[in-house]
Amino acid sequence: MHSATATTLDLVESVMYDGMTLTEALSGVRQEVPFMLGVPAEYGLLVEAEAAAQIVQAAGLEAGSPFGHAIAQGMAHIEQRPVEEQQQLVRAAARRYVINAPSRRSSAPAVPPPGPTPGRSR
């Protein structure tokens, strides 16, 4: 299953074809992703911030903290570019995220094999 960030980047790319700017697309998707993933709406802002950081990094700009000033500066710089280039950056961020995303491993400890049953012999 796609992570919330990957889903957000995919949705941002798809709505930008409708003439939305990058910032408008991120804001609109922020409201949809929690509903789609079944998480509280308050998490939408976190997902939006992570997606914005991924896009800024894909542009080769410093992202810093997802809520820091560098993200806002990077997004403002990206929005100065043509829409087609913005869409390419979103696609690049999605590819980059999928490649670099940590794999999900079970955190459950290995279950040891059952011990001998009392009262039975081999």
Side-chain angles (χ1 to χ4, degrees):
M1 181 174 115
H2 280 291
S3 72
T5 302
T7 300
T8 301
L9 291 167
D10 290 343
L11 286 172
V12 167
E13 181 187 0
S14 69
V15 298
M16 285 185 73
Y17 286 108
D18 294 334
M20 291 183 139
T21 67
L22 181 56
T23 303
E24 290 170 337
L26 276 170
S27 283
V29 168
R30 171 190 351 148
Q31 297 169 6
E32 295 298 320
V33 168
F35 173 74
M36 292 174 59
L37 298 176
V39 297
E42 295 80 24
Y43 292 172
L45 184 60
L46 298 173
V47 173
E48 177 187 4
E50 177 60 24
Q54 294 296 324
I55 295 165
V56 168
Q57 289 172 351
L61 303 171
E62 181 63 36
S65 164
F67 297 103
H69 190 63
I71 297 289
Q73 287 179 323
M75 291 298 290
H77 178 76
I78 292 167
E79 287 224 330
Q80 300 297 318
R81 298 177 178 183
V83 173
E84 296 81 17
E85 196 173 322
Q86 292 176 34
Q87 291 168 327
Q88 290 172 351
L89 287 172
V90 173
R91 281 192 296 276
R95 282 191 308 273
R96 187 175 166 276
Y97 182 80
V98 169
I99 291 169
N100 295 322
S103 63
R104 290 187 176 186
R105 293 187 178 161
S106 175
S107 60
V111 178
T117 306
R120 292 181 114 179
S121 63
R122 293 185 183 215

